[in-house]
C-alpha cells in the first residue's frame, strides 16, 4: 500500500541522549523538551538515576537535577545495553574530576572503539586507566588544549566538548564532527552558560571554566526518523510529508532521492516525497556529516532493490554494517557484499516471510521491505527498533500501512 499523509517527527535520539548526559554538568534542574519515548532514552534516564541524579518526566518534557549526591560510577549493566552511555564520561569528569565507566557493548555493528575519547581527555590533562573492563578517568583540574581528532567521531567530539566546559583556558577541537546533533549539544551548553564558537564546523573553540546553570531546551527533530519515512514513502510509491525537520539536515539523502527519480519538495521544516514512476539506480558512500548518513544506509538498500539497474553502496563509517543483507535477500532482494561494498541488483520483487531484525536501523529496513513485499512479512526482535523509533507502528498506520505489533511486549 502506498504510504500517504503527514508524519510529525520525534526529537532526535542521538541528540536527546547527549543532552540528558550534559545535564550532569550543573546542579541546577535542566528541562529537555521533545525527548523521544524510546528505550535508549529510558536507559539513559536509568543511568542518570544510577549516578545519583533525579531524572524523570515533567509533563511532556524530561527534567534532570544532578544535585550534590552525584557519583561518578556508570554500572556495567547499563553501559552493556547501550554504547552511547560512554557519553557520561565527559560530563562526570568535568563535574566531579573522576569517572568510572564500564567498557561499552551496544549495537551489533562491528568493533566500536573509544580511543579518540580517551586520547582527547588525556590531552586535557585527565589520567586514564583501563582495568577489569572499566575505564577510570581522574583529573585534578582539566586544562584547555588543542585536541586534534584522527577522525571526526561524533561521540568523541561530544565527550570532549562537555569536558572542555570545565577546563581552565581554551580548548580547540580540530577535525570535529559536524552533525546537526553536535550543533544541538553546543546550543544546549551555550544555554547553560558555556562559551563555544564554531559549532557545525570542523574547528570548535570552547572557553572553559564558565559557571554552568540550568537550561530549558527543545531537542531538534530526528533526521534519521525523517529519512526512514521518506524512504518508505518512495519505496511504496506514495506521498509523505515530514514535519519538524530542517531539510538542510537531510541534504544528501534528498539529492540521492532526486537522482533516483523521486519528486522531493522542501519547505520550512517540511519535506514532501512523492514517487509515481520507476526508480533509477544510484551509488552511495556513507561518510561523516554532511556526507550520506550511515544510519540511513540499510533503509536505502531496500529502495535500491526496487531500482531498475545495479547500485553500489560503500560503507565507510562502521565495519560490519551490512548485517541486514541476508534477511533482505530472504525477502527476495539481490544484494551481494564484499568488504565494505554492497552491490544491489534491481529491480527485484520482494515477497513476505519471517525475518529477524539484526539491529536498530536494519530492523527499520526490514519494516520498509515488508511494506513493499507481497504478502505478510513478520519482523522479529523488534526491541532493536524500539531503541530508536518512537511509535513506529502507530505512525505507519496513520500513513495507511497495514502493520500490527504483537507478542509479549505489544503496545499497539
Ligand atoms: C554516533 C551515532 C550513530 C551514528 C554514528 C555515525 C549516537 C548515540 N550514535 O555514533 O547512530 O551511526 O555517530 O554518524 O549518537 N571510532 C574509533 N575510535 C573512537 C571513536 C570512534 O575508531 O574513539 C570509530 C568507530 O569505530 C566508527 C567511527 O569511528 O567506525 C565512527 O564513530 P563515531 O562517529 O564515534 O560514532 P558514535 O558516536 O559511536
Amino acid at each position: 500500500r502506498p504510504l500517504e499523509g503527514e508524519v510529525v517527527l520525534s526529537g532526535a535520539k542521538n541528540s536527546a541522549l547527549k543532552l540528558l548526559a550534559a545535564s550532569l554538568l550543573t546542579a541546577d534542574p535542566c528541562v529537555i523538551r521533545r525527548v523521544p519515548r524510546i528505550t535508549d532514552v529510558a536507559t539513559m534516564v536509568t543511568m542518570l538515576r544510577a549516578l545519583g541524579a533525579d531524572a524523570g518526566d515533567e509533563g511532556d518534557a524530561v527534567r534532570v537535577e544532578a544535585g550534590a549526591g552525584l557519583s561518578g560510577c556508570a554500572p556495567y549493566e547499563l553501559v552493556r545495553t547501550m554504547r552511547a552511555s560512554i557519553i557520561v564520561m565527559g560530563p562526570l569528569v568535568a563535574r566531579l574530576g573522576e569517572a568510572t565507566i564500564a567498557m561499552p557493548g551496544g549495537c551489533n555493528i562491528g568493533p566500536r572503539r573509544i580511543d579518540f575519547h580517551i586520547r582527547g581527555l588525556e590531552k586535557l590533562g585527565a589520567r586514564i586507566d583501563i582495568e577489569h573492563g572499566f575505564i577510570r578517568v581522574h583529573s585534578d583540574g582539566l586544562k584547555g588544549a588543542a585536541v586534534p581528532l584522527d577522525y571526526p567521531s561524533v561521540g568523541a567530539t561530544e565527550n570532549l566538548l562537555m569536558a572542555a566546559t570545565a577546563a581552565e583556558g581554551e580548548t580547540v577541537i580540530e577535525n570535529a564532527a559536524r552533525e546537526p546533533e553536535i550543533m544541538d549539544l553546543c546550543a544546549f551548553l551555550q544555554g547553560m552558560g558555556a562559551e563555544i564558537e564554531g559549532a557545525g564546523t570542523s574547528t570548535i573553540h570552547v572557553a572553559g571554566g564558565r559557571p554552568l546553570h540550568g537550561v530549558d531546551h527543545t531537542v531538534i527533530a530526528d533526521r534519521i526518523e525523517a529519512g526512514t519515512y521518506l524512504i518508505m514513502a518512495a519505496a511504496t510509491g506514495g506521498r509523505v510529508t515530514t514535519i519538524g525537520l530542517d531539510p538542510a539536515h537531510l541534504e544528501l539523502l534528498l539529492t540521492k532521492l532526486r537522482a533516483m527519480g523521486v519528486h522531493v519538495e522542501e519547505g520550512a521544516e517540511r519535506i514532501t516525497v512523492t514517487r509515481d514512476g520507476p526508480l533509477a539506480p544510484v551509488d552511495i558512500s556513507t561518510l561523516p556529516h554532511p556526507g550520506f548518513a550511515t544510519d540511513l544506509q540499510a533503509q536505502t538498500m531496500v529502495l535500491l532493490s526496487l531500482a531498475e539497474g545495479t547500485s553500489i553502496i560503500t560503507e565507510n563509517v562502521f565495519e560490519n554494517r551490512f548485517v541486514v543483507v541476508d534477511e533482505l535477500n530472504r525477502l527476495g532482494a539481490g544484494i551481494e557484499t564484499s568488504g565494505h561494498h554492497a552491490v544491489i541488483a534491481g529491480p527485484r520483487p520482494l515477497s513476505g516471510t519471517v525475518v529477524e531484525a539484526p539491529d536498530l536501523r536494519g530492523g527499520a529496513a526490514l519494516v520498509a521491505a515488508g511494506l513493499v513485499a507481497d504478502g505478510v512479512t513478520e519482523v522479529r526482535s523488534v526491541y532493536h527498533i524500539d531503541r530508536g523509533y518512537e511509535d513506529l507502528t502507530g505512525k505507519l498506520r496513520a500513513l495507511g500501512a497495514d502493520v500490527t505489533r504483537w507478542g509479549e511486549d505489544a503496545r499497539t
Side-chain angles (χ1 to χ4, degrees):
R1 292 188 192 176
L3 298 189
E4 306 267 357
E6 293 185 344
V7 55
V8 176
L9 299 169
S10 301
K13 162 174 107 60
N14 287 349
S15 187
L17 293 174
K18 321 309 167 61
L19 305 188
L20 288 165
S23 304
L24 297 174
L25 286 164
T26 176
D28 291 350
C30 294
V31 175
I32 309 173
R33 302 182 189 276
R34 192 157 65 175
V35 174
R37 304 297 157 161
I38 52 177
T39 54
D40 269 10
V41 161
T43 305
M44 184 57 88
V45 167
T46 306
M47 167 70 78
L48 299 181
R49 288 185 189 144
L51 293 168
D54 189 7
D57 291 348
E58 186 177 82
D60 289 346
V62 175
R63 180 181 185 277
V64 183
E65 186 170 351
L70 194 64
S71 100
C73 190
Y76 173 67
E77 302 76 58
L78 292 173
V79 181
R80 185 176 67 89
T81 55
M82 188 177 68
R83 185 187 183 278
S85 314
I86 192 75
I87 209 65
V88 298
M89 187 159 69
L92 285 176
V93 76
R95 177 89 184 275
L96 304 172
E98 60 184 15
T100 302
I101 319 274
M103 290 287 275
C107 245
N108 176 27
I109 50 173
R112 301 179 99 184
R113 289 173 287 263
I114 51 164
D115 46 329
F116 304 147
H117 303 240
I118 289 174
R119 279 211 296 273
L121 287 173
E122 282 175 340
K123 283 243 185 262
L124 298 181
R127 287 197 311 281
I128 295 172
D129 301 301
I130 299 180
E131 49 182 25
H132 307 302
F134 281 85
I135 309 159
R136 293 180 209 285
V137 190
H138 181 84
S139 117
D140 297 321
L142 298 171
K143 298 233 173 351
V147 185
L149 292 175
D150 290 349
Y151 180 92
S153 152
V154 173
T157 302
E158 292 166 337
N159 250 332
L160 291 167
L161 264 170
M162 292 191 272
T165 61
E168 190 190 316
E170 191 182 55
T171 296
V172 183
I173 306 173
E174 291 159 12
N175 198 21
R178 290 185 280 161
E179 271 67 4
E181 292 77 21
I182 302 275
M183 295 170 72
D184 204 24
L185 175 61
C186 287
F188 186 84
L189 296 173
Q190 285 164 333
M192 294 175 95
E195 239 179 83
I196 300 174
E197 271 176 38
T201 75
S202 305
T203 309
I204 306 180
H205 296 253
V206 183
R210 305 285 182 272
L212 300 184
H213 48 74
V215 62
D216 186 324
H217 183 95
T218 301
V219 180
I220 55 168
D222 196 311
R223 63 197 165 99
I224 307 302
E225 185 195 30
T228 303
Y229 288 112
L230 295 172
I231 289 168
M232 287 171 168
T236 58
R239 177 182 173 83
V240 167
T241 301
T242 58
I243 302 194
L245 185 84
D246 177 350
H249 292 186
L250 267 185
E251 199 180 335
L252 211 42
L253 174 72
L254 302 183
T255 303
K256 290 291 177 181
L257 287 175
R258 287 186 174 113
M260 293 182 76
V262 175
H263 185 66
V264 180
E265 289 162 63
E266 299 175 34
E269 307 224 316
R270 289 171 75 88
I271 305 169
T272 301
V273 153
T274 317
R275 204 261 290 181
D276 49 18
L279 289 166
V282 297
D283 293 341
I284 285 172
S285 287
T286 67
L287 284 170
H289 194 80
F292 193 92
T294 176
D295 287 348
L296 288 170
Q297 180 255 99
Q299 303 89 313
T300 305
M301 202 143 36
V302 175
L303 193 55
L304 294 176
S305 294
L306 309 173
E308 313 221 332
T310 300
S311 308
I312 297 175
I313 292 186
T314 304
E315 171 58 54
N316 295 303
V317 179
F318 287 110
E319 292 168 39
N320 190 23
R321 219 187 189 182
F322 291 133
V323 281
V324 75
V325 164
D326 287 349
E327 298 300 283
L328 290 176
N329 284 345
R330 293 183 58 244
L331 289 167
I335 307 168
E336 282 183 29
T337 60
S338 165
H340 64 136
H341 301 290
V343 179
I344 302 133
R348 290 291 180 113
L350 303 182
S351 62
T353 185
V354 180
V355 286
E356 178 85 21
D359 62 13
L360 165 58
R361 304 305 170 188
L366 291 173
V367 173
L371 293 172
V372 180
D374 209 27
V376 176
T377 302
E378 183 177 320
V379 182
R380 301 232 170 128
S381 299
V382 292
Y383 66 90
H384 285 297
I385 300 175
D386 294 337
R387 286 189 40 218
Y389 289 91
E390 182 173 40
D391 191 20
L392 180 77
T393 45
K395 288 186 180 186
L396 280 175
R397 272 207 303 274
L399 297 173
D402 182 356
V403 52
T404 319
R405 183 181 171 121
W406 78 99
E408 268 175 29
D409 57 347
R411 286 184 216 138
T412 52

